[in-house]
Amino acid sequence: MPTETGDRSRESEVGRPRPGVGAGHARPAAHLDRAKVGRTPSSARDPLVALFALAAVLLALASSACRQDMHDQPKYIPLRPSDFFADGRSERPLAEGTVARGHLNGDAEYYTGKGPDGQPVEAFPFPVTKDIIERGGQRFDIYCAPCHGRLGDGGGMIVRRGFRRPPSYHIDRLRNAPSGYLYGVISSGFGAMQDYAAQIEPRDRWAIVAYVRALQLSQNASIGDVPPEAREQLEARK
Amino acid sequence: MSQIFHRSANSFARISIFGAVFMLAFLGWIAFEIDRSPWQTRQAQIREQPVPFSHVHHVGDLGLDCRYCHTTVETSSFANIPPTKTCMNCHSQIWSASPTLEPVRASFRTGTSIRWTRVYDLPDFVYFNHSIHVNKGVGCETCHGRVDRMPLTWQEHSLQMSWCLDCHRQPEKYVRPREFVTALGYQPAGDREEIGRRLVKEYGIQDVRTLTSCNTCHR
């Protein structure tokens, strides 16, 4: 059918960089031909229909294909792949022998949990406040509780799904372990546990250690540890 | 030469002229609808991934917090797609022989990245920062929907500018207390808007004029 070919020829024109130009007059000769032959009212509307079709295609294209240049600008956003580097990553690993800005990590006790003698430190590198413990509790629930359980007894959900069971925090070995040791386990991993250095900032690791200490106390406390004013409350709840 | 058209053709011409107005309006409306349809915005479309990662399993069933994997969401513009190492925290032991997870193990062995398909892809001319939203009480769920019910991840909302503005115009309708930011299925304890208005004040959320200023998002 002539109409079809006519439409198609106009559609193909859309691909050109000058959309909308000469929409009704793309093929004036053909148009005249048809007008002579047809002599029906419908032939008068023909270019109009074609115009609509063209407009529809243009609009559809305007809303899809054309937008991509501004959408995907030639710049790197986080994790956008790169053709430039062989491994395809725009995010580059540290060059050997360099230190990233702000990551000198000069305070060895704070960043490794170990003293100058290489042994885990007992003391916290900063004063522990209630805020720190609360922050530690929040981070503990995110990163540790999946395996260690919210109570630290080693019965977390991942363990129930088959991960090797970690020891409970409420054993003498871990109650007596220095804080730096717990910090070291978070930072470097232990046994089946992978390190969490990439997931938890050093300050939060210490906060988690503080919270673990609080958990240990909570599971191994006597009534004598409770302040007298809170004791009444506790006894009333019995 | 005789007339080509009969007189009656005039009415066709008139109808066509009037019709053209409606026709163009109709086409405009069609284009508008196409542009905001899921076909165009990719809303609710599951994107193919190298590994069929299930948020239903990890978030819904296991109860992992969003931040276990998306570690930088509170401090960075980018919420972070976890590195392969995070997968291996558990999958070194669990499902460690599963063929489905072979791409993960291969990535861990060889140190090459898994090429995940981005689901939420904002245009590059939009400045978006996760941390400010999360820290001002916009829940993950508000934009990402109930991911704990997504076996495979899809884009919950259209990501159209009008959708962003819905909240930027009336933040009190959407914000929640910070402690519930990663909670899924959060129900406000009381009237949402009343709590919202209090939180907007408490968290120092900017006034609507600033929030809807062009260069808040296009900078």
Side-chain angles (χ1 to χ4, degrees), chain B residues 122-155:
Chain B
L122 282 181
D124 284 357
F125 50 78
V126 176
Y127 172 84
F128 179 80
N129 189 317
H130 271 96
S131 66
I132 189 73
H133 288 87
V134 168
N135 289 318
K136 298 278 180 185
V138 180
C140 308
E141 182 190 357
T142 306
C143 303
H144 295 283
R146 292 296 299 265
V147 286
D148 60 333
R149 292 176 185 167
M150 294 183 191
L152 296 168
T153 314
W154 62 77
Q155 179 186 309

Side-chain angles (χ1 to χ4, degrees), chain A residues 182-206:
Chain A
L182 300 179
Y183 178 89
V185 170
I186 302 174
S187 309
S188 322
F190 184 87
M193 174 181 158
Q194 305 275 332
D195 73 88
Y196 278 74
Q199 277 158 285
I200 314 175
E201 293 287 318
R203 195 175 172 81
D204 284 341
R205 284 177 233 163
W206 282 112

